[in-house]
Amino acid sequence: MKIDWKAVAPLALGAVIVASPVPAGLSVQAWQFFALFVTVIAALILEPIPTAAIGLMGVTFGAALIMVPGTPGGAGTPSDGLRFALGGFSNGTVWLIFTAYMFSLGYEKTGLGKRIALLLIKVLGKRTLGLGYAVALADLAVAPFTPSNTARSGGIIFPIIKNIPPLYGSTPEDGRRKIGSYVMWTAMATTCVTSSMFLTALAPNLLALEILNKTAKISISWTEWFVALAPACILLFLLVPWVIYVLYPPSVKESADAPKWAQKELVAMGAVSAKELTMGGLAVLALLLWIFGGKQFDATTVALIGLCLMIVTRVITWDEVIGHKTAWNVLVWFATLVAMADGLARVGFLSWFAKTAAASMSGFSVGTLII
């Protein structure tokens, strides 16, 4: 039987850590949990099996061995182990990620995302540079509600813009520099900017923030994230289509056929449907509550309200919610990672590491540490 080295390597790494001497000032319990944490992270990188399953196995193993007791340094109970394993599933940020996927589903199912993109192409697409800004603005419109740049670019934007380059004889095989390369590069670069601009535009943003909250007790709201990043991200967003136009100029400067094509597609879609209007209204409501309702509503509560209203108004159905494999997979994956990060803090490893790192950095200037 062939041995899968991707499965063996993380286990071997964890075993080496467990067998190594426990560092001074750290408990055996914390060192063993760190070994489990490293094993899980290594397995997530190598991915011998689906990532969500790896995370589930990690927290299950930790729960079975009661590696994270209720009281730091104390003797744990089976209930403590279970609370550790399921702790991530009660985390608000994890459910915010999940509900953001439902908003993305609503955009896709109603066709609202497609209509927005086509309208922007129709209005701005007469020139190739304007077409680049149309693509960028289409991404911006759906970014706050789509926590995956892959889903946003591959599921909403790309299926629309891929039809434009062939109008000018620009394909991957021939005539790439006419217009196709510019449009695709703009779409790819823009989604990187919008993914940073909004907290809910990329699932890892939320995961990183939750890990920060668990380990350093620092919390950042949706509005605080946007306000902090908006000055840089808005400037980048405005510059990206133009910079690509200058550095990688398309040979076709006029794109009169793109608005005509967009108009035909809009005619084929028909009049704006009630579900599109409902989806747009719910998206605006969620955005307003995220921005202005921070004192009254938690961000996750706002997203859950939006999900409930989408189901009640039949924008999406419950069968579609439970059938969204990607969303549920991300839910399990992130919930288990949050639990593992929380466990690392609760066993005392992070406080020990922070003190050790701080001691080793004493005497260095601030400039040196930044470099």
Side-chain angles (χ1 to χ4, degrees):
M1 184 175 69
K2 186 178 179 180
I3 297 176
D4 186 354
W5 70 269
K6 290 184 178 181
V8 173
L11 296 174
L13 180 59
V16 169
I17 295 174
V18 170
S20 302
V22 179
L26 192 65
S27 67
V28 174
Q29 181 185 62
W31 186 241
Q32 290 176 344
F33 186 83
F34 173 68
L36 174 62
F37 184 85
V38 170
T39 301
V40 170
I41 297 302
L44 289 174
I45 295 172
L46 297 176
E47 204 172 343
I49 60 175
T51 53
I54 293 170
L56 184 61
M57 290 179 183
V59 296
T60 300
F61 188 83
L65 296 184
I66 316 178
M67 301 181 75
V68 183
T71 304
T77 65
S79 296
D80 292 333
L82 183 60
R83 276 193 291 270
F84 154 71
L86 300 181
F89 291 92
S90 63
N91 184 275
T93 300
V94 172
W95 284 98
L96 177 58
I97 296 171
F98 175 82
T99 49
Y101 270 97
M102 295 302 109
F103 273 93
S104 177
L105 175 63
Y107 263 109
E108 182 180 353
K109 184 190 173 187
T110 61
L112 179 60
K114 179 179 181 180
R115 187 178 295 275
I116 291 172
L118 289 172
L119 284 170
L120 289 169
I121 292 171
K122 176 185 174 182
V123 174
L124 301 175
K126 293 182 180 180
R127 295 180 178 275
T128 304
L129 180 59
L131 182 60
Y133 278 100
V135 171
L137 288 169
D139 189 287
L140 180 70
V142 298
F145 314 99
T146 312
S148 168
N149 50 16
T150 303
R152 188 162 66 249
S153 299
I156 299 176
I157 305 300
F158 178 74
I160 299 169
I161 64 173
K162 72 176 182 180
N163 297 289
I164 297 174
L167 298 174
Y168 303 89
S170 181
T171 66
E173 294 77 24
D174 183 46
R176 294 187 297 272
R177 291 298 296 270
K178 289 182 178 179
I179 193 173
S181 293
Y182 170 71
V183 170
M184 296 304 169
W185 270 110
T186 301
M188 184 181 70
T190 298
T191 199
C192 295
V193 177
T194 56
S195 293
S196 301
M197 188 183 301
F198 304 105
L199 178 60
T200 46
L202 191 67
N205 293 345
L206 293 155
L207 177 62
L209 187 60
E210 186 56 31
I211 291 175
L212 180 65
N213 186 21
K214 289 290 186 183
T215 56
K217 307 303 179 184
I218 296 175
S219 180
I220 301 174
S221 68
W222 194 97
T223 306
E224 289 171 337
W225 178 287
F226 178 75
V227 170
L229 289 172
C233 285
I234 291 175
L235 180 61
L236 284 172
F237 179 83
L238 294 174
L239 286 175
V240 161
W242 177 78
V243 169
I244 296 175
Y245 188 84
V246 172
L247 298 180
Y248 197 71
S251 59
V252 175
K253 307 297 183 182
E254 304 285 336
S255 54
D257 289 337
K260 295 178 183 177
W261 168 81
Q263 175 61 28
K264 290 180 181 178
E265 291 294 311
L266 286 168
V267 171
M269 288 186 70
V272 179
S273 67
K275 287 187 176 181
E276 286 180 78
L277 291 173
T278 302
M279 182 65 224
L282 292 176
V284 171
L285 174 64
L287 192 61
L288 290 175
L289 288 176
W290 278 336
I291 296 172
F292 301 109
K295 294 183 179 179
Q296 185 68 29
F297 298 104
D298 180 81
T300 303
T301 303
V302 171
L304 289 171
I305 291 171
L307 172 59
C308 292
L309 290 175
M310 280 193 287
I311 295 172
V312 169
T313 55
R314 301 186 184 277
V315 170
I316 59 176
T317 66
W318 182 247
D319 285 340
E320 288 169 332
V321 172
I322 62 177
H324 200 308
K325 292 175 60 177
T326 300
W328 289 106
N329 186 67
V330 168
L331 175 76
V332 174
W333 177 30
F334 280 16
T336 52
L337 283 182
V338 167
M340 292 294 295
D342 185 40
L344 207 60
R346 288 169 58 186
V347 297
F349 181 88
L350 290 179
S351 60
W352 168 84
F353 181 81
K355 291 177 182 177
T356 304
S360 65
M361 294 178 184
S362 62
F364 288 96
S365 67
V366 175
T368 301
L369 292 175
I370 292 175
I371 294 173

